[in-house]
Structures are given as C-alpha cells and as structure tokens.
Amino acid sequence: MSLLTDRLQRWFGAASLWLVCFSISCAPFPFGSVGIGAITLWVGVLSAAALLACSQPIGPSQNRLLLGWALLALCWSIVIAVQMAPPNFLGGVLNDPIWKETSRLLGEDIPGSPSTVKMQPVLALGPSLVVFLGSACGLLLGGSGRRGKAVLRAFAWSGLAYAIYGIIAHIVDPTKILTYTKEQYVGELTATFYNRNTAAIYFGCCGAAWLALMLEHIKRRVGLDLDRVALKVLLRSRQTLFNFAALMVCVVAMFMTRSRAGSVASLIGWGVVGASYFHPVLRSRKGILTVLVGSVVGAAIGVQFLGGGLAERIGVEGVSDEGRWYAYQSTWHIIQSAPWLGKGLGSFPWVFPAYRSPNVSVWGVWDRAHNTLLEIAAEVGVPMAAVIVVAWIVIGALLVGKVLRQKGDVTVSAVALGMLVAASLHTMVDFPLQIPAFALVFFVLLGCGLAAPLTRRGARLSTSKQTPN
C-alpha cells in the first residue's frame, strides 16, 4: 500500500509539473492570453496543477509562505465580495454616488452598487485567479529544487522559441502578428503579444533566465573568481557558448521592440541577477565599483550596437511620455473620489473618461492607468493597495535573504529576484503584470524562487575551480 501511495505521489507530482510547464510555455502564444477563453483555460489548468501538487511533501517554510499568500487572497476576496454587495448592504452607505446621480437624472429609482460598473468585479476576476493559482503552483513545486529548475528551464526554452519566432516574423512581415494585421506597433517587434512593452519585459526576463543558467554553469565549472585559465576553459565550453547565444537572441528581440521602459528595466534586472552570483566576491569597494562600471558600460554598448532603434527613440522622444504624468494625476483624482473601496475591480476603462485631464492626448484609448499600483488603488481602494505594497516588500526581502544565504544553486531565486525588480520598475510606467500570460509566468517563477530550498553547504566561489578534462 505504501509503495502504491508513493508511486501515485510521484505521478501526481510529475503531472502537476507538466501542467505548469505547459502553462508557462504556451500562455504567451494566443496574443498574451488576454482573451476570456485563454484566461479560462489557464485557470482550469493551474487549478488542476495546484490540486495535484498538494499531494507533494510541503516543508515548514512553504507552509508559512502558502499561509501568507492565502491571507492576501482572502483580503482580495473580501474586497471583491463587498464590491458585489446588494444595494441595501449596510444601508447602501457603500454604494457609488454615480447610482444616486443616475437615478436623479432619469427620474426613477435605480438600485445602487458599491462598484461603478455592476458585475464587473466578477467579470474581471480571471487575471486575479491566474495570479493566485500560479503563485500557489510555484510555492508547492518550488520546494523541490529539481522541479523549480525544470520550471525555469521551460520558461527559458519557450521564451527563446518566441524570441526566434518574433525576430523571423518581424523580418518576413512586420505588419502581421500570428497572421493577423497589426493595428499598432507596425515598426516594432511584438512576437505573439499585442503590446511591444509586454514583449520587451517578457524577453528581458527570459534573458535573465539564460544569464542565470550561464552564470550557474560557470560557477560549477570554474568558479566566479575568473582568471585566464578559467576563461580559456569557458571559451571551449559548448554549454557556456550556447547559453550566451540564447541570451543574445533574447537581447536582440528585446531591443527590436523599441520599448524604453521594458528594456531599461530588464537591464537593471540582469544586473540584479549578476549581483546575486557575484555578491560573495564583492566584499571590497573595488569589486563593487568594477561591477557597477562594467554593468553601465555593458548596457551602453548593448543599447548602442544592438538597440539602435531603442537609442533613436530615446534620443527623439526622451525617456518618458508627458501624457502619462497627466494620466497619473487623473488616476489620483479617481482614488480621491473612492479611497477606501475603490471604483470596482476592472472598472478603470469606464471611470477614467470622467476624470481624464484635458492635457492628456486625445489620440488613443486609455483603458489602463500605465501604473499598476495606481490602478489597483483606483479599483480596489488604498487599504488593499497598501496591503499589496507591504506583501511586495516582504517578498523582495525574502528573496534577497535567500540569495545572500544560499551556498548551493541560486539560479531560481536569482531569476525570481531579477524578474521582481524588473517587473516592479516596469509596472510603475506600464502594465505588464496586467497581461495574463506574463503574469502567469512571473508569479509561477516568483513562487518557485520563494520556495527554493536553502543549501548552506558548498565550496567557496573563489576556490571552487575544477580541473578541466
């Protein structure tokens, strides 16, 4: 009986891993999974994966992480439930004033709602479910270092495939996206995404994965305290050269999007990944200064020689759009009108026009705030946004602590930390985490990075050189 139970446990674990790898590999394909059908599919797949993963052994640290994530999900659920409350809930004191004004204008009694758009919080729940289920899957599977590494490799390889496809498709016909004619970003690479900015941060995070895999291989092969002998060994290593080539493909794809924020945030994320590996040899000021100068010079050379279109766009348009700052001011006015409960999850496109500043360009439709934190505060209130900020800071601190204490394989945690920094910076001026495909990939890997086992034993990097065969 015990043998049968163990075998079923292995099968369930393998099935869960397969479903998660399938999700993060295929989610970007159908236009970033922004359609309701794709979101429904991934909610179903991740639900099955999470149920199967529950059969696996869970350590104390995973239990604490899962409990914290469950409390965050509970807070989110309570806010959504209140926004969907009946008109007479608490005497209607929470109802949005727009319903009373509408009743007055129409001359008839219209039942109110705490949400500006009735039923919209439920209709907009799909991406939130993807986020919470993806994180749960990552936390459940990431406790096994082998499975966490498998998830990371699935992301790296699938991202490389999308980068190659995007480059080829852009060269063949830049006006098409998966056989459909582009309505925007005709001159920029978007691969299978509608938005070039999301494509940029996706390929940037994929590049971070390949960078980490390359550094981990170097660390295991010759150590990170490199000298001439070690460099000669690495130049003869096919795996190192392949990892570097894969990284360069992702770099080219990222720069071809001509996204300013996505590219800059990704470069900073790569710096974080590199620092996660090199921090043991950065004890001196000289070492820190060398890495900082090298990172700046490397980024400048990359932008100049590989990101010509990006450099040209920054030179002509600057590093930011003036219209976004006016949009942020308009979003702040929305927050001030409903600071405690927000206007309702998913209601931003309907609410923003009433608060839209005349200084915002009339070109285009502002269906996003281009700042995820502001949009969260506008839709679900300042208290819930504050809870998310606190959780985000705690997650960052946990990842930093894990990277600094890790003596073994730091790959998954390093990539999770680099992606956290890059996505956090990018989401302050755009909305990558609101695109289901990228959110799925990001939160699965974030969960894997948080749950990655901590190995305190291991050889020092400066003395870990091995004699080449």
Side-chain angles (χ1 to χ4, degrees), residues 254-266:
M254 180 187 73
F255 282 143
M256 287 178 68
T257 64
R258 300 180 75 231
S259 170
R260 296 165 296 185
S263 299
V264 172
S266 296

Side-chain angles (χ1 to χ4, degrees), residues 135 234 379:
S135 303
L234 292 178
E379 291 188 347

Side-chain angles (χ1 to χ4, degrees), residues 22 26 54 80 101 105 109 125 131 164 175 208 210 244 258 267 285 288 353 364 366 378 443 445 455:
F22 171 75
C26 298
C54 287
I80 303 306
E101 179 67 14
L105 292 174
D109 186 22
L125 263 181
V131 167
I164 294 173
T175 66
W210 283 109
F244 180 76
R258 300 180 75 231
L267 291 173
R285 294 180 181 179
I288 296 175
W366 285 81
F443 282 99
L445 287 171
T455 304

